[in-house]
Amino acid sequence: MKIPRASFLAVAATAATLLVAPGVGDGVAHAGPASCVPVGTAQLPPGAPATGSRAGLTDFPRYTGRSAPKRVELRTETTQFNLHWEFALVGHRLITRPRGSNGPWRTVPLPSCLQNRLVAISLDDDELVGVDRKGWIYTMDNVNQSPRLWNWTSAWGAMLWTAPGRTLPDQRTGGWALSVTSPSDNRAYQDIAGRVHPSGQAKMTMIPALTGDGSRITYADPWLPNDNSYEVGGPLGGRFKSTSLSAAASTMFVINRFGDMYTRTFDFDSSGSDSVFFRYSWDSQDGKPSATDLNTETWDRSTAAIQLPAPDWRRQPKIPGEITSTITVIATGPGVERRELRVAGRRDGVAGFWHKDLHASTWSFSPTGGALSGTPLQNSAADRSSETLAPPVPWNLSASLPSRKAAVDGETLLDIGLPYSVVDPRVLDRIGLHAPKSGYRLYVKAFDPAATTRPAVVIAPNGRRIDVLLHTADGMRMTPSRPGLTATPRHLIGAVALDDATYARRGSDPTVRAFVRDWMKGKSIAPITLSATSKDLVIR
């Protein structure tokens, strides 16, 4: 999550001790992280632009062991790289050298409490995280700068990166990665309509991790509560079972045991959840110019908002050869979705890696020799994604659609610029802003709150069925919660949408025509705000 107003840190430092404490939430163990690095520059976004300066490198002791890798071409839990540096974890020792050099490896000095403690690392952009045996996360900042500026912090979580720390959501080899999108190295992202938006003046930092059977992707965000409640809905409605995950610059890359691969660019801010600092719309933004900076986009309504829903997963072409579970996605420079995918494998008996640009249709192979990392996969030519599906979630819900004559609804909140992702519709009812029933009722099977889009049905007053799409994005929570649906209400924002064919039927189908006229307000998509438990659903 990125919040461009660093002045909030002073208030957040006080609020953090009240809202989040060690041991609260699913993702935090009861013991705390090492205590000698409570504060670091990672807590002060956005960080300086990348320089790749090597000043101070020779102050690091030269590594003289024999276990350093000869090449670093894939990101694993012990080998990492960005545009300027390579890192390796040898035993518990962190070593580094400039990217692309054949020079000597040097040992990175660690704070005393981190020595002989790290068991895994991940790197993206200007941050590196190390994880200890108990899963506690430590962040080293400025890793695209001079080594003299590298520094650590154990802090992580709400409010605004001031909580005392957290663990990985699930300790799974090859199933987690650090992702950082910075204003200097990435600069922009695009929405579902392909429109480019400025990334703002702060960073998007997250650690997505596979959990459970590999179909759930929980993400840890240093600005959000330390729990497992925030998830990225996985491919195929969240049911695709991944064996490995890689991430970079808000782009996730997953693979299953049959070599089926999917990618998705997703972040808390770009997906619709942060209406405090970002402006979204479910309507087409055609005809509106794109803003050149985040402040203009947020406040100038003549410019294009971020169009929702968030872009979904994209299936990648199969690789024509042997592959393993070791996968990597990297950002290749500033610009929209400039990413490269890499997968460890063999061709003609020679070890190396397959690679392609994110949107390319074919794979190339680069030999490296040496040992092949990862677990061999049953890479079939055919798509076998459906053979690894998890069971659907058990939450079948229904709700009365409120009258569109209510004083406040999802569209009202969106139009007036209120931060609707923090306004639960049950709160509106408690303060007396009730909504009469419209006569329409929505039914949705297997309502997974992590998914972005799922089919649903609206039953009209005359009993006729209208097929719709129900889009959602998570609400903003600043206190720890649980994943999925429970007895505690979970707030989401969303929209009811008609596909093109159904919307076109309004001219010939009286039931669809009445629904579009009376409830959809003449449009094919209508914003809503939702509150869901495992038993009921409230829509406004």
Side-chain angles (χ1 to χ4, degrees), residues 29 42 66 86 116 185 189 233 287 289 292 317 326 328 365 430 474 476 513 521:
R66 298 181 179 181
E86 297 175 351
N116 299 315
D185 280 12
Y189 61 93
T292 57
T326 300
T328 298
F365 183 81
R430 285 200 296 270
D474 232 326
M476 181 182 289
R513 180 166 59 249
K521 295 187 177 181

Side-chain angles (χ1 to χ4, degrees), residues 62-397:
R62 186 164 178 166
Y63 173 73
T64 57
R66 298 181 179 181
S67 300
K70 294 182 178 180
R71 300 177 59 168
V72 178
E73 302 294 352
L74 295 163
R75 289 178 169 178
T76 71
E77 288 190 317
T78 57
T79 58
Q80 294 286 324
F81 65 92
N82 63 10
L83 294 175
H84 303 288
W85 298 96
E86 297 175 351
F87 289 86
L89 194 61
V90 180
H92 301 296
R93 181 179 300 179
L94 185 64
I95 61 175
T96 189
R97 69 180 180 185
R99 177 67 176 158
S101 76
N102 291 318
W105 289 89
R106 294 186 177 272
T107 301
V108 179
L110 297 177
S112 59
C113 63
L114 297 186
Q115 293 175 11
N116 299 315
R117 186 168 184 137
L118 301 183
V119 297
I121 57 174
S122 184
L123 166 68
D124 196 33
D125 203 290
D126 67 343
E127 296 176 21
L128 179 147
V129 295
V131 177
D132 67 16
R133 295 183 186 91
K134 295 183 179 179
W136 287 100
I137 298 167
Y138 306 90
T139 306
M140 185 170 77
D141 194 32
N142 293 330
V143 194
N144 54 14
Q145 306 289 329
S146 158
R148 290 174 177 164
L149 300 178
W150 297 354
N151 69 97
W152 292 86
T153 179
S154 59
W156 190 282
M159 297 283 291
L160 312 184
W161 211 323
T162 59
R166 75 159 290 165
T167 59
L168 286 178
D170 194 10
Q171 297 183 39
R172 173 194 296 267
T173 301
W176 66 278
L178 174 68
S179 167
V180 179
T181 297
S182 72
S184 58
D185 280 12
N186 305 112
R187 301 180 187 172
Y189 61 93
Q190 65 182 20
D191 62 22
I192 193 170
R195 183 173 287 102
V196 176
H197 298 272
S199 61
Q201 298 304 311
K203 295 184 289 188
M204 299 177 179
T205 299
M206 63 189 295
I207 299 178
L210 300 178
T211 56
D213 61 4
S215 65
R216 312 303 297 186
I217 304 174
T218 299
Y219 65 95
D221 184 311
W223 298 93
L224 297 176
N226 286 336
D227 61 23
N228 285 343
S229 69
Y230 282 103
E231 296 181 280
V232 182
L236 305 184
R239 298 176 60 194
F240 179 84
K241 290 184 181 179
S242 302
T243 59
S244 300
L245 176 147
S246 181
S250 302
T251 298
M252 278 157 283
F253 179 26
V254 296
I255 191 169
N256 71 359
R257 61 192 179 95
F258 298 123
D260 301 302
M261 297 166 288
Y262 290 81
T263 55
R264 185 183 192 186
T265 300
F266 177 97
D267 185 80
F268 180 86
D269 298 313
S270 62
S271 65
S273 296
D274 187 4
S275 63
V276 175
F277 293 101
F278 296 84
R279 184 166 61 90
Y280 310 102
S281 178
W282 297 95
D283 293 324
S284 170
Q285 299 298 287
D286 289 350
K288 293 185 177 182
S290 296
T292 57
D293 62 84
L294 182 61
N295 284 334
T296 301
E297 180 176 283
T298 302
W299 301 109
D300 185 354
R301 294 193 165 228
S302 69
T303 62
I306 302 166
Q307 188 170 328
L308 300 177
D312 206 349
W313 292 88
R314 178 192 300 264
R315 190 167 75 88
Q316 294 293 336
K318 298 296 288 269
I319 292 174
E322 295 180 64
I323 60 173
T324 78
S325 58
T326 300
I327 62 175
T328 298
V329 56
I330 56 174
T332 55
V336 174
E337 296 196 345
R338 292 187 60 186
R339 313 284 188 267
E340 181 182 314
L341 308 179
R342 297 183 177 186
V343 181
R346 287 191 184 92
R347 188 175 69 177
D348 299 328
V350 178
F353 62 94
W354 299 88
H355 55 93
K356 76 177 190 69
D357 290 340
L358 180 64
H359 298 298
S361 58
T362 59
W363 293 85
S364 299
F365 183 81
S366 291
T368 58
L372 191 61
S373 66
T375 302
L377 300 179
Q378 303 175 45
N379 185 34
S380 61
D383 177 17
R384 301 179 66 180
S385 302
S386 61
E387 297 182 36
T388 61
L389 296 185
V393 296
W395 305 304
N396 301 319
L397 304 177

